[in-house]
């Protein structure tokens, strides 16, 4: 079994970290939702011109999206990485494909960074900030590239051992 996992370790490690991030974030909601709400309220109070009556709910929703996307993306990426492990891809291509798929775990960080930036930038400003956009680009781009490698292998036999 260790030989099967050897070639997918990079992606597997990234996805396990993503899953842990999503679970820990969810636990933190249960333990300290009031702390999140107070933090949002303080940010809105410090920058009232950037916010409207919907900002509090919108900002709270951003951090919830980080949790939902982390656990969901980790689940389906884990499945894809296991398909990579069982495929006939060459060892090096398994490492590359699994690592690229594992980068999908950066996408939930875009929502977390939007949550962190929104009180001081406003919801719209935070969504268009450079950091969240970079997380989206690398996370979604990595996932798509890794998935394309896997699909080309499964459909056309490219990079077969």
């Amino acid at each position: 079994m260790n030989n099967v996992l050897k070639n997918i370790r990079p992606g597997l490690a990234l996805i396990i970290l993503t899953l842990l991030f999503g679970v820990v974030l969810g636990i933190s909601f249960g333990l300290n939702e009031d702390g999140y709400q107070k933090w949002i309220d303080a940010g809105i109070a410090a920058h009232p011109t950037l916010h409207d009556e919907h900002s509090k709910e919108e900002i709270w929703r951003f951090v919830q999206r980080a949790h939902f996307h982390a656990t969901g993306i980790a689940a389906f990426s884990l499945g894809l990485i296991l398909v990579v492990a069982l495929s006939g891809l060459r060892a090096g291509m398994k490492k590359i494909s699994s690592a690229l798929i594992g980068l999908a775990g950066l996408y939930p960080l875009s929502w977390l960074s939007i949550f962190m930036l929104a009180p001081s930038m406003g919801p719209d400003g935070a969504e268009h900030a450079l950091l969240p956009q970079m997380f989206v680009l690398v996370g979604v781009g990595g996932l798509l590239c890794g998935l394309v490698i896997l699909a080309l292998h499964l459909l056309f036999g490219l990079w077969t051992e």
Side-chain angles (χ1 to χ4, degrees):
M1 183 60 130
N2 198 25
N3 272 348
V4 174
L5 298 179
K6 183 176 107 176
N7 294 320
I8 61 164
R9 265 197 193 114
L12 196 56
L14 290 169
I15 289 306
I16 289 172
L17 287 174
T18 302
L19 188 57
L20 284 171
F21 166 70
V23 170
V24 168
L25 193 56
I27 291 169
S28 75
F29 295 161
L31 294 176
N32 191 28
E33 183 176 337
D34 288 342
Y36 282 93
Q37 298 296 338
K38 288 176 185 174
W39 186 82
I40 294 168
D41 289 339
I44 291 172
H47 306 282
T49 60
L50 298 172
H51 299 281
D52 61 23
E53 67 275 0
H54 304 292
S55 289
K56 182 175 180 173
E57 294 82 22
E58 195 173 357
I59 295 170
W60 172 237
R61 189 73 179 147
F62 292 150
V63 74
Q64 289 176 322
R65 286 180 183 154
H67 162 67
F68 297 145
H69 282 94
T71 53
I73 286 171
F76 80 75
S77 294
L78 181 59
L80 287 173
I81 289 172
L82 292 176
V83 171
V84 169
L86 298 173
S87 74
L89 272 168
R90 285 184 283 208
M93 291 305 288
K94 284 183 181 184
K95 283 183 182 179
I96 291 168
S97 182
S98 75
L100 287 168
I101 291 168
L103 289 176
L106 293 177
Y107 179 75
L109 294 179
S110 70
W111 289 111
L112 182 65
S113 63
I114 292 168
F115 166 74
M116 298 298 289
L117 295 170
S120 63
M121 296 180 75
D124 290 336
E127 285 188 72
H128 296 97
L130 181 61
L131 183 63
Q133 296 300 315
M134 293 303 296
F135 282 137
V136 170
L137 181 66
V138 176
V140 174
L143 173 64
L144 290 175
C145 290
L147 187 54
V148 165
I149 291 170
L150 179 60
L152 289 173
H153 168 70
L154 294 175
L155 296 172
F156 303 109
L158 297 179
W159 308 292
T160 301
E161 288 185 293

